[in-house]
């Protein structure tokens, strides 16, 4: 995003996910680390050194899993920032967040104050039934509230979407497609990307453990066949025809959304 498109660095403001710590997390998630939030001064020391060495307009992509899972820590980051560092002049952030965690004006103001230029938002779906199936802790109305807060602060949106969780059918696909269509219209040029993909059934996730209850053979090897796990998942838990038909349908829908 100009002018922050020439000098980009990755950074971790934190590790892990508080949602997973509290609830077991989204059902497709494989995170195992307990959420950890380091001393904010160490984060700024790293940023300050990079700005001193490479100049202004540094873009930092924060690969922490969900910064907004701990608002006290976001406040600490803002308060600990050295006065010499100017957001949107010296640096800007892209962060990950879930809509369940962004509901109040002060929260959006805090993200802006921190220097958040772009947010990768884990919408995942615009069907309330599928959001419950994923254990997202969010609803469609939650999605819209968070979107309004971000766009009103001029924060760009990158939208995540996952297709093929338990119970997916043509009705839920249409709900989701219509929801993302409305999101495009509402956000306009503030929506930079819709990253849609079929569900990956990965070891360590709750859905992998669920799959093992009906296809235990996948737990007997370290060499997991991810095509086979996905097709077996589609066979047992998704209502879109045969596994091959369902896979094709989800890929087609992902391409149309993206």
């Amino acid at each position: 995003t100009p002018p922050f498109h020439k000098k980009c660095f990755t950074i971790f403001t934190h590790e892990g996910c508080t949602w997973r710590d509290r609830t077991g997390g989204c059902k497709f998630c494989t995170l195992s680390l307990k959420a950890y939030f380091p001393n904010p001064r160490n984060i700024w020391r790293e940023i300050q050194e990079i700005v001193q060495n490479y100049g202004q307009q540094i873009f930092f992509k924060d690969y922490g899993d969900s910064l907004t899972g701990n608002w006290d820590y976001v406040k600490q980051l803002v308060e600990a920032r050295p006065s010499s560092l100017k957001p949107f002049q010296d640096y800007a952030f892209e962060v990950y967040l879930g809509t369940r965690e962004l509901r109040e004006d002060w929260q959006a103001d805090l993200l802006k104050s921190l220097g958040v230029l772009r947010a990768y938002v884990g919408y995942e779906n615009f069907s309330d039934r599928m959001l419950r199936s994923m254990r997202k802790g969010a609803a469609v109305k939650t999605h819209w509230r968070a979107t309004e807060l971000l766009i009103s602060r001029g924060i760009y949106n990158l939208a995540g979407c996952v297709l093929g969780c338990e119970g997916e059918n043509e009705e839920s696909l249409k709900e989701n497609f219509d929801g993302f269509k409305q999101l495009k219209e509402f956000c306009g040029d503030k929506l930079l990307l819709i990253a849609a993909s079929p569900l990956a059934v990965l070891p360590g996730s709750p859905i992998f453990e669920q799959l093992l209850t009906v296809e235990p053979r996948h737990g007997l090897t370290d060499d997991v066949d991810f095509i086979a796990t996905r097709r077996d998942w589609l066979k047992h838990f998704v209502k879109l025809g045969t596994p091959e038909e369902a896979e094709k349908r989800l890929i087609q829908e992902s391409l149309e959304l993206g």
Side-chain angles (χ1 to χ4, degrees):
T1 307
F4 294 91
H5 63 293
K6 294 183 179 180
K7 294 179 283 188
C8 302
F9 290 79
T10 58
I11 195 169
F12 282 85
T13 60
H14 65 290
E15 294 183 56
C17 173
T18 58
W19 175 248
R20 178 153 179 138
D21 290 349
R22 296 197 310 271
T23 69
C26 305
K27 288 189 177 179
F28 48 76
C29 179
T30 61
L31 291 178
S32 58
L33 292 174
K34 186 175 177 60
Y36 167 70
F37 298 87
N39 188 322
R41 297 186 187 280
N42 294 337
I43 303 298
W44 290 118
R45 189 177 298 115
E46 181 179 352
I47 291 173
Q48 198 165 33
E49 181 177 342
I50 291 172
V51 171
Q52 288 172 350
N53 289 336
Y54 295 95
Q56 293 180 317
Q57 297 180 347
I58 304 291
F59 184 71
F60 291 96
K61 183 172 177 60
D62 179 13
Y63 275 98
D65 297 290
S66 185
L67 180 61
T68 52
N70 185 343
W71 285 107
D72 287 339
Y73 184 71
V74 180
K75 290 179 183 178
Q76 291 171 28
L77 279 171
V78 172
E79 292 169 356
R81 179 178 54 213
S83 59
S84 60
L85 284 175
K86 308 300 181 186
F88 308 111
Q89 179 177 328
D90 293 320
Y91 73 93
F93 284 116
E94 177 187 317
V95 301
Y96 287 89
L97 62 87
T99 65
R100 64 181 171 267
E101 300 156 350
L102 179 57
R103 304 190 182 201
E104 305 292 339
D105 284 286
W106 67 264
Q107 295 171 331
D109 291 339
L110 202 59
L111 291 177
K112 190 71 175 181
S113 178
L114 180 62
V116 174
L117 179 65
R118 308 188 340 180
Y120 189 101
V121 184
Y123 293 101
E124 315 309 4
N125 214 277
F126 270 87
S127 162
D128 279 327
R129 181 170 62 82
M130 295 311 300
L131 290 169
R132 289 192 295 272
S133 176
M134 296 175 185
R135 197 164 61 200
K136 283 298 296 182
V140 172
K141 66 178 182 180
T142 322
H143 287 355
W144 284 116
R145 175 57 177 160
T147 302
E148 291 167 357
L149 290 169
L150 291 171
I151 298 304
S152 65
R153 271 68 177 181
I155 297 174
Y156 288 90
N157 189 340
L158 299 92
C161 173
V162 176
L163 301 173
C165 283
E166 183 178 7
E168 189 85 85
N169 58 21
E170 288 295 343
E171 180 184 356
S172 60
L173 287 179
K174 185 178 187 309
E175 283 184 296
N176 183 61
F177 187 88
D178 291 345
F180 273 102
K181 181 180 178 181
Q182 293 174 32
L183 185 72
K184 290 179 183 179
E185 294 170 353
F186 180 81
C187 294
D189 62 2
K190 292 296 182 183
L191 181 63
L192 300 179
L193 170 73
I194 296 177
S197 66
L199 179 71
V201 184
L202 302 177
S205 66
I207 60 169
F208 186 79
E209 296 303 315
Q210 185 177 349
L211 178 62
L212 293 184
T213 64
V214 291
E215 296 286 354
R217 63 189 177 89
H218 293 300
L220 301 177
T221 176
D222 291 331
D223 186 16
V224 178
D225 184 337
F226 295 114
I227 294 176
T229 58
R230 180 160 68 185
R231 288 185 177 174
D232 279 345
W233 174 267
L234 296 174
K235 172 185 174 182
H236 292 286
F237 300 109
V238 172
K239 301 174 182 178
L240 290 169
T242 67
E244 292 76 17
E245 290 170 341
E247 186 174 47
K248 182 178 179 180
R249 182 72 181 88
L250 294 176
I251 291 172
Q252 174 191 17
E253 192 76 2
S254 298
L255 293 172
E256 291 180 1
L257 282 168

